[in-house]
Amino acid sequence: MNVNQQPPMASPYGQPQPGYGQPSYAPLGGGYPGPYGPYSGPATAYQPGAPQGYSTYASFPSKAVAANPVSDLSSPLDLGSARGPPPVSTNHAYSQYAQGDIQNGPPPMDHSMAQPAHRPPVSQPYSQGAMNLSGPHPSYPQQYRAQPSMQQMTNQMSGMQVGSGPLTSAGPGYAPPPSSKPPISAAYSAAAPPSYTQAPPPVSGTPSQPPSEPAAPQPYYDGPPPSQQQHFPSSAPPPSQPFPSSSPYSGPPPSSQPWAPAVSRQQSFPPGPPTPAQQTFPNSAPPPVSQASYSGPPPSSQPGPFPPTFAPPAQYPAPQPPSQPGPPPFHSGPPPQCPMPPPSMSQQQANHLPPGPMQQPPQPGMQGGYPPQQNGAFGQPRGPQPGYAGPQYPGQQNYGAGPAPTPAPTQKRLDPDSIPSPIQVIEDDRANKSSEPFTTGVKGQTPPLVTTNFQVKDQGNASPRFIRCTAYNIPCTADMAKQSQVPLAAVIKPLAMLPPDETRPYIVDHGEAGPIRCNRCKAYMCPYMQFIEGGRRFQCGFCSCVTDVPPHYFQHLDHTGKRVDCCDRPELSLGSYEFVATVDYCKNNKLPQPPSFIFFIDVSYNAVKSGMVNIVCQELKTLLDYLPRENPEADSVVRVGFVTYNKVLHFYNVKSSLAQPQMMVVSDVSDMFLPLLDGFLVDVNDSRMVIESLLDQIPEMFADTRETETVFGPVIQAGLEALKAADCAGKLFLFHSSLPIAEAPGKLKNREDKKLVGTDKEKSLFQPQSGFYSNLSKECVAQGCCVDLFLFPNQYVDVATLGVVPVSTGGSVYKYTYFQAEMDRERFLNDLRRDVQKPMGFDAVMRVRTSTGIRATDFFGSFFMSNTTDVELAGLDCDKTVAVEFRHDDKLSEDTGALMQCAVLYTSCSGQRRLRVHNMAVNCCSQLADLYRNCETDTIINFFSKYAYRSLLNTPTKTVRDTLVNQCAQILACYRKNCASPSSAGQVSHSHSPPLGQLILPECMKLLPVYLNCVLKSDVLQPGADVSVDDRAYLRQLLSSMDVSESHVFFYPRLLPLVKLDGGSLPMAVRNSEERLSKGGVYLLETGLYLFLWVGANAQQELLSNIFGTPTFSQIDPNMTSLPELDNPFSQRLREIIDSFRSQRSRYMKLMVVKQEDKAELIFKHFLCEDKSACGGASYVDFLCHMHKEIRQLLS
């Protein structure tokens, strides 16, 4: 649908905003010339008062973070009013414009920007006694408008309650310094009732909002349905109807006061190089490398310690505006009763509310009935910018020169650029850790983030590609672990694929004697075993038992006590390696047969009509040449078989001696059996002609079928019987389309009930309908029968039940809702090819051993457990992970640390029985500060999400969400209480610790709140009205075996501005918020399951021509799923980036083109996880305020 042929949806970009002309939009980084950087709205207005300052308090000397550009050692964010020392100005690059642009750094420089911006005379004077004079001072642009009267301020304050919380170091009226950032959009999707209402919502005089209606269903994860099934409203409110831009408020309210950082005296600021798109100003620091907030130490033009210009608090009285009372501290009482602002137009459209009584007359000073653009959802309307009117819209009066309309009084809003930025953390880690190889020889070393490209050198601990831990320095005692609430867990990916520049684990063959093991705990030989008595015995590092060395394995020791052949034996020098297993490790003491693949194709009416049957049959003819093999030069030894089914099963004899395949029908599905043995499982090369003949005939045989019913349970039973008869392990590929309602074992009924969502009975939607499939999965695991399920549903199919066998056997579920051959063929075929070809093991058993003091107590993933220690997997592929939780059962020693060994016994695709061993050693600590220095947030979030998603089976969703929030608050409160006091920070002792008005986050956990909020807002834990029960069950199962890199992008998608794409490097990502989008830009969003290409309505013609081959926005086809192959460098590089992203993920990401203000933009905005979600999820800013309130309650 052409966006120009329908009434436009409300959007922050939909109408000219008062006070701004329309600049020429130019891509960033100098891609195309233009007088200004792309416009994306105004920046936060500076409130009158003294500038942001430093507190003399700081946290302990480990790296803790400031949530704004000033602090290195701690992350204090001030949320309360107090008396304290005046602030100290920091280095800031000057910006001529108060509105931000999407550029990572200042706007393109012209000569006028070389001079410091004039400080408006109306700002308050302040003492410069403690100012840092090493660079230029920031300019504080203000709104050019009359100062609010005392009556206005009284009205503003009447809606607030002033709490009696402890004092903070920021004086009243202090606001964060302005930064070059676009504002948060005022247009959000409609929100559910507020989740958190502990502080007053923004004061407004507008009518309260009527209850919202649920949005119509639309699948987020499988693309839009066919046109006749679209659930979008056919019309939108016409643009002439005015709607105020303020958004309804849900989630924790914003703080009523900006946060001030406390800076420790010990900090030093390393220099930070500017990115290519930035320009460094004369005699000043380089600007921050990201337009998202710089939340680490600010770059300094001179390395070395920060000048010690701090003085005792008593020297500096805090100046205060004479007519403006200080904002109240963070409020923890009940909210005052005040009316809510009406929703914006896009909120009405999201809820399909008809225009009516909510229409407002145009406000004074508005054009076309639209209110002034807000600074985010809660900021004050923005006045004109000094010296900037900008080019005008046709027929628009010049708002830039005239007086701005007097804004309604509102609360001050926390600046999103002053809180920790995921983008900045990712970029800092890349800058610091991507250049040198990560060597694993140092115990307890925290690896680079999953978003950093790095090389690993195995020197005795397993690569982080195989094992990632939540903490690399674990508490010595259970009490300390309980106090911190930091989960002790490891996410293990035993068969992970390694990049080409890293060596695969070596295979060690000890012959008939088999691997060397400890006599007591059965741990395998590893670098942690200590050889004694001249090499004749070894002491186990796990249980300390002494074991004799077999004569064939004996070797002398050198002067350090190591074996002289240590470096020649992988098991003595590396963290990961494989042993060839002997017959003793095989089922029934018999070496295994090569595995088999059996393809089950649903040939019911829906499957045939969608085109799925034809696509599968055509693809299998070529795909059978790519069955998994260990030696690329040799033929695969995997045998194959074929079955079709609807309410009966058709088996095919494809024996090589036959001229044509033979069909055998089993109609008695209540007692499934295999009708043939010889000729069912065959070698591909021997029977190629017969197989190709069969695959050609299947679509023709069932082209005119009218059978709509299907079975499911008997299909898996048939595959299980076939593998039993062949006495081998293997994998079943099921291509299935509908709910199995035919009379047969495992028959299901439609139990989809949206009324249960949000109730205590909601958990039943995630549980299987009966125990049939659980029992069947147990049989499959015993035989080594792994099941991969490809679903093509047009309606409810009960994924929660159909997915039981795939999840329990180590298999995968793929889902293609509303499958359309022309739209979804590429995605399905790429998933199928990868699924067939990827390396995997069969009939696997995994056990995790630990040293004395801790033990593995819980496991998360796609597997089956018949006892408390062994993880059983019928199939284990290179994408599957198992998360393991550890608990103390004794005290640990700081001297020895803690050890874990993961051993996986499996059958390779060539039929060889092997043991893969991964070893990991971590440190132990008796100080909480050491624990908080060595955590990895991405792994913690992976573990928390798996724990939460599994809990949904037995616990109401609200309880699961509350548990997550509470544990996160306890982790941060423990740090605040025990690690952020002056004594632990090594500071000069004061009479009290930093005030509770400051939120102080540990350096390596400063992103815990934003990532946890993404988990809480995920469709599984907080679904919108348009997320189906099947989608939620599918995502819950999908996440259970995700590795850390995939869960990271799943919860916090990657958003790239497509600016200059020269060279091999990617453009720097921007934060996941609508305010970061420029109307003149094009952006690529990667979610791990989908790729979105968002096109701004004012994107440059040259940019559109380079990408789409058309110069006009209206001619872009929003239904395209692949970009045209154009002969220009920009197009080629963009397609390379997309291919690169797809190659990094286990699922093929379908490309969706989203035009600004098009109906599909609702889906795109759903993944902008720093904003409020349509279903009531809190924004990042609001959630951080809520977390701070929770922490203060715990500490008080």
Side-chain angles (χ1 to χ4, degrees):
M1 186 178 219
N2 190 323
V3 74
N4 297 322
Q5 294 172 354
Q6 63 174 353
M9 297 171 62
S11 161
Y13 324 104
Q15 290 285 325
Q17 298 300 335
Y20 296 98
Q22 182 178 16
S24 300
Y25 295 100
L28 308 178
Y32 303 97
Y36 304 107
Y39 164 67
S40 52
T44 304
Y46 171 72
Q47 302 297 331
Q52 183 101 328
Y54 292 138
S55 158
T56 54
Y57 303 112
S59 66
F60 78 113
S62 80
K63 293 275 287 182
V65 74
N68 83 354
V70 234
S71 157
D72 177 38
L73 298 185
S74 63
S75 284
L77 299 170
D78 193 0
L79 287 177
S81 70
R83 293 175 294 276
V88 180
S89 180
T90 59
N91 290 346
H92 276 274
Y94 286 112
S95 171
Q96 176 186 1
Y97 310 109
Q99 86 260 18
D101 71 31
I102 197 64
Q103 182 164 317
N104 295 321
M109 186 175 73
D110 62 22
H111 295 295
S112 65
M113 297 176 66
Q115 300 298 325
H118 176 64
R119 183 178 179 83
V122 287
S123 59
Q124 289 294 320
Y126 60 95
S127 163
Q128 297 189 8
M131 178 164 289
N132 167 27
L133 300 176
S134 62
H137 312 311
S139 61
Y140 295 93
Q142 296 207 80
Q143 301 178 25
Y144 275 71
R145 59 177 174 82
Q147 291 290 326
S149 66
M150 181 60 76
Q151 180 60 41
Q152 287 174 319
M153 291 312 303
T154 305
N155 293 342
Q156 175 180 353
M157 303 310 294
S158 65
M160 306 177 183
Q161 295 185 13
V162 179
S164 57
L167 300 178
T168 66
S169 58
Y174 286 14
S179 57
S180 175
K181 72 164 190 68
I184 285 184
S185 151
Y188 288 101
S189 302
S195 309
Y196 314 114
T197 54
Q198 285 81 3
V203 180
S204 170
T206 49
S208 52
Q209 172 192 359
S212 59
E213 301 173 6
Q218 177 181 357
Y220 282 144
Y221 295 94
D222 296 284
S227 55
Q228 68 270 20
Q229 293 167 330
Q230 292 279 3
H231 299 292
F232 291 105
S234 57
S235 64
S240 60
Q241 298 169 352
F243 292 93
S245 297
S246 54
S247 77
Y249 186 62
S250 84
S255 156
S256 54
Q257 177 163 345
W259 305 6
V263 176
S264 162
R265 301 182 180 187
Q266 289 87 6
Q267 79 184 30
S268 62
F269 295 136
T275 58
Q278 297 169 339
Q279 296 176 353
T280 308
F281 287 74
N283 304 319
S284 76
V289 290
S290 172
Q291 60 109 34
S293 85
Y294 188 97
S295 46
S300 166
S301 54
Q302 51 184 29
F306 199 75
T309 56
F310 304 98
Q315 286 185 329
Y316 301 104
Q320 190 163 309
S323 63
Q324 179 174 341
F330 192 92
H331 177 64
S332 58
Q337 297 299 316
C338 65
M340 295 292 290
S344 66
M345 179 147 65
S346 68
Q347 287 155 355
Q348 289 206 6
Q349 286 184 337
N351 279 322
H352 306 196
L353 297 178
M358 302 186 9
Q359 299 170 8
Q360 301 285 323
Q363 298 178 11
M366 280 193 233
Q367 173 129 2
Y370 279 76
Q373 180 156 343
Q374 303 282 322
N375 296 325
F378 313 105
Q380 295 191 3
R382 191 66 178 155
Q385 302 307 314
Y388 172 55
Q392 295 299 302
Y393 291 101
Q396 179 197 15
Q397 68 184 46
N398 183 353
Y399 284 105
T406 304
T410 57
Q411 291 182 344
K412 280 192 278 188
R413 184 174 182 280
L414 185 62
D415 179 7
D417 272 351
S418 69
I419 56 182
S421 159
I423 305 304
Q424 192 61 53
V425 172
I426 289 169
E427 291 299 326
D428 289 348
D429 192 77
R430 282 183 182 149
N432 296 332
K433 297 185 177 179
S434 62
S435 56
E436 295 293 324
F438 176 73
T439 56
T440 67
V442 181
K443 181 171 71 173
Q445 186 180 202
T446 306
L449 299 180
V450 290
T451 47
T452 299
N453 288 324
F454 60 99
Q455 184 186 11
V456 180
K457 289 191 174 178
D458 188 341
Q459 294 184 353
N461 278 317
S463 163
R465 306 193 201 284
F466 295 122
I467 301 180
R468 278 187 177 266
C469 301
T470 55
Y472 288 85
N473 204 333
I474 65 176
C476 284
T477 65
D479 289 343
M480 186 175 162
K482 184 177 180 181
Q483 182 185 5
S484 74
Q485 286 292 308
V486 175
L488 304 180
V491 178
I492 305 173
K493 192 175 181 182
L495 300 185
M497 294 287 286
L498 299 180
D501 58 351
E502 294 178 22
T503 308
R504 288 191 59 204
Y506 290 100
I507 299 176
V508 180
D509 189 351
H510 285 309
E512 293 183 6
I516 313 298
R517 306 178 70 176
C518 169
N519 277 344
R520 181 195 291 167
C521 70
K522 302 301 180 186
Y524 293 92
M525 180 56 65
C526 67
Y528 314 139
M529 304 300 190
Q530 182 67 45
F531 287 88
I532 57 176
E533 299 181 14
R536 288 186 290 275
R537 306 176 85 190
F538 68 89
Q539 184 174 26
C540 177
F542 296 88
C543 68
S544 300
C545 175
V546 175
T547 303
D548 291 333
V549 174
H552 73 273
Y553 197 68
F554 172 79
Q555 186 55 268
H556 295 286
L557 307 183
D558 63 15
H559 65 285
T560 63
K562 288 188 176 181
R563 286 171 53 121
V564 296
D565 64 347
C566 172
C567 296
D568 299 327
R569 290 190 176 272
E571 73 273 22
L572 299 180
S573 58
L574 299 178
S576 300
Y577 43 87
E578 287 195 340
F579 292 116
V580 175
T582 61
V583 71
D584 298 333
Y585 293 85
C586 300
K587 199 178 290 184
N588 303 323
N589 286 336
K590 195 168 81 174
L591 291 174
Q593 298 288 323
S596 299
F597 285 0
I598 308 177
F599 299 89
F600 292 85
I601 305 172
D602 176 354
V603 288
S604 64
Y605 177 82
N606 285 339
V608 173
K609 290 305 176 188
S610 70
M612 179 270 284
V613 173
N614 187 57
I615 291 174
V616 170
C617 291
Q618 292 305 312
E619 178 63 23
L620 285 179
K621 288 194 287 189
T622 55
L623 194 53
L624 294 177
D625 289 329
Y626 298 96
L627 295 174
R629 68 205 71 197
E630 289 194 273
N631 181 0
E633 307 300 322
D635 291 333
S636 174
V637 295
V638 175
R639 293 180 294 167
V640 297
F642 302 90
V643 179
T644 56
Y645 68 96
N646 37 49
K647 63 195 298 186
V648 298
L649 275 73
H650 322 106
F651 294 81
Y652 296 95
N653 185 343
V654 286
K655 195 173 181 180
S656 58
S657 57
L658 297 175
Q660 286 291 324
Q662 297 175 345
M663 177 198 284
M664 298 186 180
V665 180
V666 176
S667 53
D668 182 10
V669 291
S670 60
D671 184 17
M672 182 50 58
F673 66 96
L674 190 67
L676 76 161
L677 291 176
D678 189 32
F680 180 63
L681 294 177
V682 298
D683 182 271
V684 173
N685 292 325
D686 293 345
S687 301
R688 180 173 300 277
M689 298 300 294
V690 190
I691 291 173
E692 290 191 356
S693 174
L694 169 66
L695 294 173
D696 285 335
Q697 293 177 39
I698 286 175
E700 298 171 5
M701 277 192 289
F702 299 98
D704 299 322
T705 183
R706 288 289 175 266
E707 184 56 70
T708 57
E709 293 186 354
T710 58
V711 295
F712 188 76
V715 177
I716 298 175
Q717 288 176 329
L720 179 60
E721 291 300 320
L723 295 179
K724 283 182 180 177
D727 192 23
C728 69
K731 185 191 266 193
L732 313 183
F733 295 82
L734 270 66
F735 305 93
H736 190 79
S737 66
S738 57
L739 191 70
I741 56 173
E743 204 57 50
K747 173 186 174 181
L748 301 179
K749 63 178 188 291
N750 189 332
R751 57 168 184 163
E752 184 176 29
D753 188 356
K754 282 290 186 79
K755 294 176 184 174
L756 297 182
V757 175
T759 69
D760 285 352
K761 293 184 178 179
E762 181 178 10
K763 57 179 181 278
S764 65
L765 299 175
F766 297 107
Q767 298 166 350
Q769 283 191 32
S770 69
F772 172 81
Y773 289 102
S774 299
N775 294 330
L776 182 56
S777 62
K778 185 176 180 179
E779 293 181 50
C780 288
V781 171
Q783 180 57 41
C785 172
C786 174
V787 178
D788 278 1
L789 175 60
F790 293 81
L791 285 171
F792 305 86
N794 289 331
Q795 55 192 359
Y796 178 75
V797 292
D798 199 351
V799 175
T801 304
L802 297 187
V804 167
V805 178
V807 167
S808 300
T809 59
S812 306
V813 178
Y814 299 84
K815 184 164 172 284
Y816 310 91
T817 308
Y818 303 118
F819 180 79
Q820 294 173 280
E822 65 279 5
M823 300 274 293
D824 300 302
R825 174 191 181 99
E826 183 184 18
R827 177 175 159 228
F828 162 55
L829 289 183
N830 278 278
D831 283 342
L832 177 59
R833 288 167 191 153
R834 191 176 194 282
D835 196 59
V836 169
Q837 297 175 32
K838 64 187 174 187
M840 68 177 299
F842 299 89
D843 205 6
V845 181
M846 178 179 120
R847 180 175 288 192
V848 178
R849 294 176 174 85
T850 55
S851 56
T852 307
I854 57 170
R855 59 191 171 89
T857 57
D858 210 349
F859 300 85
F860 304 81
S862 297
F863 53 76
F864 179 81
M865 293 188 76
S866 56
N867 56 44
T868 57
T869 57
D870 292 337
V871 175
E872 301 174 47
L873 304 108
L876 174 62
D877 62 51
C878 59
D879 299 322
K880 295 292 186 295
T881 65
V882 176
V884 186
E885 184 178 19
F886 302 98
R887 293 192 187 278
H888 288 76
D889 55 12
D890 203 349
K891 285 187 177 180
L892 296 170
S893 162
E894 286 188 80
D895 299 331
T896 57
L899 309 175
M900 70 184 81
Q901 183 181 80
C902 166
V904 182
L905 177 66
Y906 71 98
T907 302
S908 72
C909 55
S910 62
Q912 188 178 49
R913 200 70 172 153
R914 291 188 189 155
L915 275 156
R916 178 165 289 199
V917 179
H918 299 296
N919 303 288
M920 176 65 72
V922 296
N923 288 322
C924 297
C925 60
S926 56
Q927 299 294 321
L928 283 167
D930 293 325
L931 166 65
Y932 282 101
R933 275 193 200 96
N934 293 280
C935 293
E936 199 195 22
T937 303
D938 291 323
T939 311
I940 291 174
I941 290 296
N942 180 283
F943 175 79
F944 273 164
S945 59
K946 290 176 178 178
Y947 183 89
Y949 282 18
R950 190 183 69 176
S951 300
L952 290 175
L953 292 173
N954 307 302
T955 311
T957 307
K958 183 181 184 303
T959 306
V960 173
R961 292 167 48 82
D962 291 345
T963 302
L964 281 178
V965 172
N966 184 52
Q967 184 163 1
C968 180
Q970 287 185 335
I971 290 172
L972 299 177
C974 175
Y975 173 82
R976 181 68 172 80
K977 179 179 180 181
N978 298 286
C979 305
S981 65
S983 57
S984 65
Q987 299 178 5
V988 178
S989 179
H990 293 286
S991 59
H992 56 277
S993 62
L996 288 178
Q998 293 171 348
L999 174 63
I1000 298 182
L1001 305 169
E1003 167 68 18
C1004 63
M1005 282 192 189
K1006 63 186 176 186
L1007 299 181
L1008 187 62
V1010 62
Y1011 289 163
L1012 185 78
N1013 190 36
C1014 294
V1015 175
L1016 295 173
K1017 289 162 61 175
S1018 64
D1019 287 323
V1020 178
L1021 291 179
Q1022 191 170 31
D1026 39 13
V1027 180
S1028 69
V1029 173
D1030 270 350
D1031 277 335
R1032 296 178 68 197
Y1034 166 68
L1035 294 173
R1036 195 190 75 80
Q1037 294 170 356
L1038 180 65
L1039 185 100
S1040 69
S1041 58
M1042 266 191 192
D1043 69 4
V1044 180
S1045 63
E1046 298 219 317
S1047 66
H1048 175 272
V1049 77
F1050 177 77
F1051 288 118
Y1052 194 91
R1054 173 161 52 167
L1055 182 61
L1056 290 185
L1058 298 180
V1059 290
K1060 266 189 166 180
L1061 297 183
D1062 300 337
S1065 60
L1066 292 174
M1068 183 188 292
V1070 295
R1071 291 170 67 169
N1072 269 346
S1073 174
E1074 189 179 342
E1075 67 173 24
R1076 309 290 170 173
L1077 301 177
S1078 161
K1079 193 175 182 180
V1082 178
Y1083 296 79
L1084 185 66
L1085 182 79
E1086 178 201 11
T1087 72
L1089 297 177
Y1090 282 88
L1091 288 169
F1092 294 92
L1093 193 66
W1094 185 89
V1095 186
N1098 286 17
Q1100 290 265 319
Q1101 290 186 2
E1102 186 181 355
L1103 184 61
L1104 298 182
S1105 296
N1106 282 342
I1107 298 175
F1108 302 104
T1110 174
T1112 57
F1113 179 79
S1114 59
Q1115 292 176 355
I1116 298 172
D1117 178 12
N1119 295 317
M1120 69 170 64
T1121 56
S1122 60
L1123 296 178
E1125 297 187 10
L1126 303 177
D1127 188 18
N1128 67 72
F1130 195 96
S1131 172
Q1132 292 168 0
R1133 178 63 182 138
L1134 177 55
R1135 283 180 281 115
E1136 285 174 8
I1137 290 173
I1138 290 174
D1139 291 343
S1140 168
F1141 283 7
R1142 285 170 170 165
S1143 68
Q1144 296 169 21
R1145 307 293 169 210
S1146 61
R1147 308 277 170 129
Y1148 184 85
M1149 294 183 290
K1150 178 180 175 180
L1151 179 68
M1152 296 177 67
V1153 175
V1154 178
K1155 297 167 67 174
Q1156 186 180 353
E1157 299 177 9
D1158 200 3
K1159 56 194 175 188
E1161 195 177 31
L1162 286 175
I1163 305 176
F1164 171 79
K1165 289 180 181 178
H1166 175 77
F1167 294 101
L1168 299 179
C1169 56
E1170 287 197 25
D1171 297 336
K1172 283 188 178 180
S1173 61
C1175 51
S1179 69
Y1180 175 19
V1181 169
D1182 294 350
F1183 184 71
L1184 200 59
C1185 293
H1186 177 71
M1187 285 305 304
H1188 184 238
K1189 172 182 163 294
E1190 294 283 323
I1191 292 167
R1192 288 176 63 171
Q1193 287 181 343
L1194 289 172
L1195 293 177
S1196 60

